């Protein structure tokens, strides 16, 4: 194609005509137009979509700030002992809620980044006693900022001890309920049924070892039947089932 036709083809493409339409207007085969396009001699016009081009301006990149702040904490702990106060301000709470939502907590963030050993370098100041305790010893609590309990382990023990001392009846009732639940589950009948099942299984294995395959077959039949009978008896007689009903 002559230079004049090439310029005319580019002009038609810029006006929005498709390559096949350009070839018909110029009276040339469409393969010539396509060849010029593939070689980069002429370009197909692409309408400019202002809204599409500005889409990235509407994307929310606020999470990058939280990631930057978390990374600062991580590298400060890596470089040496880093003291972190639990007297949270607005920004700290924002970071704490973010790390909970994204990683499950500060413990999990350090683990996921491969800095598990660095947690020993991160010292957290207890808001109650103002002592410093490293992150490894700090209890986890997923519903709080950074997934950490609001006070140090020692203060938590003292708080629990004080609560137990001021609510003896409630603690006693809770312990009794747990004891009764265990007693309901592990009755003499249930233990006897479980022991019988284990005994039959052991006898089956012994018979098979010494070549008494017939006995083993009978025991394999008896084993599920014994389990079925024990299960029915447990459902009918166990106090726990009645309590759940």
């Amino acid at each position: 194609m002559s230079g004049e036709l090439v310029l005319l083809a580019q002009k038609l493409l810029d006006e929005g005509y498709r390559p096949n339409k350009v070839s018909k207007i110029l009276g040339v085969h469409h393969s010539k137009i396509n060849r010029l396009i593939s070689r980069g001699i002429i370009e197909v016009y692409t309408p400019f979509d202002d809204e599409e081009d500005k889409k990235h301006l509407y994307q929310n990149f606020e999470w990058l700030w939280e990631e930057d702040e978390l990374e600062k904490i991580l590298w400060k702990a890596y470089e040496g002992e880093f003291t972190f106060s639990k007297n949270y301000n607005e920004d700290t709470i924002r970071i704490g809620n973010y790390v909970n939502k994204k990683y499950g907590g500060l413990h999990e963030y350090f683990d996921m980044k491969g800095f598990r050993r660095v947690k020993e370098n991160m010292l957290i100041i207890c808001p109650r006693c103002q002592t410093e305790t490293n992150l490894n010893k700090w209890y986890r609590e997923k519903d709080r900022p950074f997934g950490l309990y609001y006070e140090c382990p020692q203060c938590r023990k003292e708080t629990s001890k004080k609560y137990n001392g001021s609510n003896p009846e409630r603690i006693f009732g809770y312990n009794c309920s747990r004891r009764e639940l265990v007693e309901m589950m592990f009755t003499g009948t249930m233990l006897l049924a479980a022991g019988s099942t284990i005994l039959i299984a052991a006898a089956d294995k012994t018979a098979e070892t010494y070549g008494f395959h017939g006995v083993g077959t009978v025991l394999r039949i008896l084993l599920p039947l014994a389990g079925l009978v024990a299960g029915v008896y447990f459902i009918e007689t166990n106090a726990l089932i009645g309590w759940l009903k």
Side-chain angles (χ1 to χ4, degrees):
M1 289 180 63
S2 65
E4 186 179 349
L5 283 177
V6 171
L7 291 174
L8 185 56
Q10 184 62 68
K11 182 181 178 182
L12 291 171
L13 289 172
D14 290 344
E15 291 176 359
Y17 289 98
R18 297 179 64 83
N20 287 345
K21 185 67 175 177
V22 172
S23 64
K24 289 181 180 179
I25 294 173
L26 298 178
V28 298
H29 196 271
H30 64 84
S31 63
K32 291 185 178 181
I33 301 296
N34 291 332
R35 195 177 299 117
L36 291 173
I37 294 172
S38 63
R39 292 176 180 176
I41 297 173
I42 58 176
E43 296 178 344
V44 177
Y45 168 75
T46 303
F48 177 74
D49 188 343
D50 189 58
E51 288 302 315
E52 183 69 24
D53 189 62
K54 292 181 179 179
K55 266 188 177 179
H56 69 282
L57 299 177
Y58 308 126
Q59 294 179 10
N60 183 8
F61 291 105
E62 289 185 1
W63 58 272
L64 290 174
W65 179 82
E66 284 91 341
E67 285 289 342
D68 288 342
E69 294 301 312
L70 281 172
E71 193 167 331
K72 288 178 185 177
I73 293 173
L74 185 71
W75 285 105
K76 283 179 181 178
Y78 177 77
E79 291 169 358
E81 288 192 349
F82 168 61
T83 304
F84 180 76
S85 174
K86 280 190 58 74
N87 293 318
Y88 298 147
N89 55 34
E90 185 177 344
D91 286 343
T92 312
I93 292 174
R94 178 179 167 184
I95 300 167
N97 291 335
Y98 172 80
V99 75
N100 269 9
K101 184 178 179 181
K102 181 72 179 291
Y103 300 100
L106 196 59
H107 279 283
E108 290 74 13
Y109 173 75
F110 272 75
D111 295 343
M112 190 175 296
K113 296 294 182 179
F115 285 76
R116 181 172 297 182
R117 295 184 179 180
V118 176
K119 289 192 286 186
E120 296 179 0
N121 294 340
M122 184 166 180
L123 303 178
I124 302 175
I125 301 175
C126 176
R128 182 179 172 191
C129 66
Q130 298 300 311
T131 58
E132 297 178 356
T133 306
N134 71 53
L135 180 60
N136 266 335
K137 296 179 180 178
W138 209 275
Y139 291 122
R140 308 182 189 203
E141 189 170 4
K142 63 179 181 178
D143 296 328
R144 293 185 179 274
F146 295 96
L148 301 174
Y149 202 71
Y150 69 93
E151 58 186 4
C152 70
Q154 186 60 37
C155 288
R156 184 184 180 187
K157 289 179 183 177
E158 292 177 4
T159 302
S160 298
K161 187 177 180 180
K162 185 178 179 180
Y163 175 82
N164 294 344
S166 58
N167 298 276
E169 294 181 359
R170 185 171 183 178
I171 300 300
F172 178 76
Y174 173 73
N175 290 336
C176 287
S177 299
R178 291 181 61 189
R179 193 178 301 112
E180 289 172 3
L181 185 62
V182 172
E183 289 174 354
M184 288 178 186
M185 292 179 65
F186 297 100
T187 61
T189 306
M190 189 60 190
L191 293 174
L192 180 62
S196 301
T197 305
I198 294 171
L199 183 62
I200 293 173
D204 174 26
K205 188 67 177 177
T206 304
E208 186 177 354
T209 302
Y210 287 97
F212 298 103
H213 300 292
V215 177
T217 303
V218 172
L219 289 173
R220 287 193 193 94
I221 296 172
L222 290 177
L223 183 60
L225 289 176
L228 177 63
V229 172
V232 172
Y233 186 81
F234 174 74
I235 292 172
E236 294 295 330
T237 60
N238 194 271
L240 176 62
I241 303 299
W243 179 68
L244 290 174
K245 290 179 180 179

